[in-house]
Amino acid sequence: MLSHDELALLEAIRDSGSLSRAAARLGKAPSTISHAARQLEGRFDALLFDRRRYRLQLTPAGQLLTQEATRLILDVARLSQRVKQVASGWEDRLHIVTDEILEFEILLPVVRAFDALGSGVNLRITHEVLGGTWEALREGRADLVVGATNEPPVMPHLRWFELGAMEWVFAVSPRHPLAKIAEPLQQNEVIRHRAVVVADSSRNVGRAYGVLGGQPTLAVPSMRAKVLAQRDGLGVGWLPRRRVATLLKSGQLVEKRMADPREPNVLYVAWRSDQEGRALAWWLEQFRQPRLAKRLIQGLDMHDHTE
């Protein structure tokens, strides 16, 4: 490990190209700089300075030492900051996993507000689908999950609260055969047509919701993709009502009343109580705010994205 003075010497010689200019830059006598340079070479038992040319340069060994010493000093400074950060109750990092059904754009102002705290916590925000969201928390790939669906599973130290309930509408393209079928639609009518589903990201047991047994399916990567596929007549299925309100109003999707309506889905916020830190507590407080919870549940009206 180099001292700051030794690193400053290497950088001054590299940048100035002479002992005299390096000495002037550092406010020291040239003889002092020359002696320090030779001491440094003796310490590492390596030629660090190429003195054969008109311009004094670092040898490849000197360049490597300068680069690595700079990196190490920065690493030590960052480590010191992280140690202080964790000692004051902040986590080193926080991994938030949202269910794909929630849109990241809505969280941008929240991330900005978190940054303003200057906590130093590294944020990682990713998404999973359906069972994959709970699985991420169970397997330690998430510190906090948001928008998880279905009842919370049995899990050590699990804590949770309800984010809200999402309402659904069964919608099809006006060009789809089901658009002309009399309501309410019966299961024996729906099962003949392909359902569009968002693929469950669970590594274990993937599931599809709102699909009848034996019904053909088209699995797509996101709820946005599902809306677009159904709008284009590639299949049928349940969609978040608020997100497709404009598409329904404009006639790009047609709502069909069902003989077996779908109940609203409760979405959950969940975490493990054995890993609570200040960053987790701050984010939990945000998700408990009714205004943010409502925006996440309602989502963004798809008309802004489908022109």
Side-chain angles (χ1 to χ4, degrees):
M1 190 65 184
L2 296 181
S3 68
H4 283 282
D5 286 345
E6 289 170 329
L7 181 59
L9 168 66
L10 285 166
E11 292 176 336
I13 292 176
R14 179 194 63 194
D15 297 342
S16 66
S18 78
L19 280 173
S20 58
R21 286 194 292 270
R25 173 173 163 175
L26 297 173
K28 296 182 178 179
S31 58
T32 302
I33 296 300
S34 180
H35 178 67
R38 293 193 181 280
Q39 273 193 323
L40 201 53
E41 287 181 317
R43 177 177 159 195
F44 284 93
D45 192 23
L47 190 66
L48 303 176
F49 307 98
D50 187 346
R51 299 173 175 85
R52 297 172 300 172
R53 304 172 187 174
Y54 172 73
R55 178 179 173 83
L56 183 64
Q57 293 181 317
L58 295 179
T59 64
Q63 291 173 355
L64 175 65
L65 179 61
T66 305
Q67 291 167 0
E68 289 301 299
T70 301
R71 182 183 63 78
L72 285 170
I73 286 173
L74 288 173
D75 284 348
V76 169
R78 280 193 290 262
L79 177 60
S80 298
Q81 177 59 38
R82 286 167 61 194
V83 168
K84 291 177 184 176
Q85 172 185 320
V86 172
S88 64
W90 293 105
E91 301 89 328
D92 182 36
R93 67 196 67 225
L94 185 71
H95 186 179
I96 300 172
V97 169
T98 67
D99 191 284
E100 191 281 329
I101 204 168
L102 302 183
E103 288 132 330
F104 176 72
E105 295 97 310
I106 297 171
L107 292 179
L108 289 173
V110 192
V111 174
R112 198 156 41 242
F114 183 74
D115 287 346
L117 300 177
S119 67
V121 176
N122 287 311
L123 274 182
R124 184 179 182 212
I125 303 176
T126 59
H127 71 248
E128 299 279 350
V129 180
L130 298 171
T133 307
W134 287 118
E135 189 176 275
L137 187 62
R138 180 186 294 109
E139 296 181 356
R141 292 182 284 110
D143 302 304
L144 170 64
V145 296
V146 186
T149 55
N150 301 319
E151 289 295 316
V154 176
M155 193 183 307
H157 308 287
L158 178 66
R159 295 192 62 191
W160 54 268
F161 60 84
E162 293 183 6
L163 184 69
M166 181 171 285
E167 295 183 0
W168 300 88
V169 57
F170 193 89
V172 300
S173 165
R175 302 183 302 277
H176 194 277
L178 283 183
K180 305 294 190 287
I181 301 295
E183 299 173 296
L185 290 185
Q186 303 294 328
Q187 287 191 5
N188 62 349
E189 289 285 354
V190 174
I191 201 170
R192 300 175 192 169
H193 301 277
R194 183 168 66 176
V196 182
V197 300
V198 183
D200 193 317
S201 64
S202 171
R203 276 71 165 170
N204 299 316
V205 183
R207 298 178 63 185
Y209 295 93
V211 177
L212 304 174
Q215 187 177 15
T217 60
L218 167 64
V220 295
S222 65
M223 182 55 69
R224 169 177 161 74
K226 177 172 160 63
V227 173
L228 294 176
Q230 291 185 213
R231 186 195 67 174
D232 283 5
L234 300 179
V236 302
W238 295 92
L239 298 172
R241 177 176 288 279
R242 293 297 294 265
R243 204 168 302 181
V244 296
T246 298
L247 295 179
L248 290 169
K249 188 175 181 181
S250 66
Q252 295 181 70
L253 284 171
V254 176
E255 176 178 357
K256 299 298 289 186
R257 190 162 51 86
M258 303 295 290
D260 297 299
R262 178 173 175 175
E263 293 298 319
N265 269 92
V266 176
L267 305 187
Y268 296 90
V269 175
W271 70 102
R272 292 174 53 145
S273 61
D274 58 337
Q275 298 177 346
E276 293 182 358
R278 290 173 68 180
L280 176 60
W282 186 91
W283 278 91
L284 288 173
E285 183 181 348
Q286 307 314 304
F287 290 124
R288 283 191 170 101
Q289 301 299 317
R291 184 178 177 187
L292 176 60
K294 184 178 180 180
R295 289 200 67 215
L296 286 167
I297 292 293
Q298 290 184 350
L300 302 174
D301 194 318
M302 285 281 290
H303 80 282
D304 292 331
H305 308 278
T306 53
E307 296 299 334

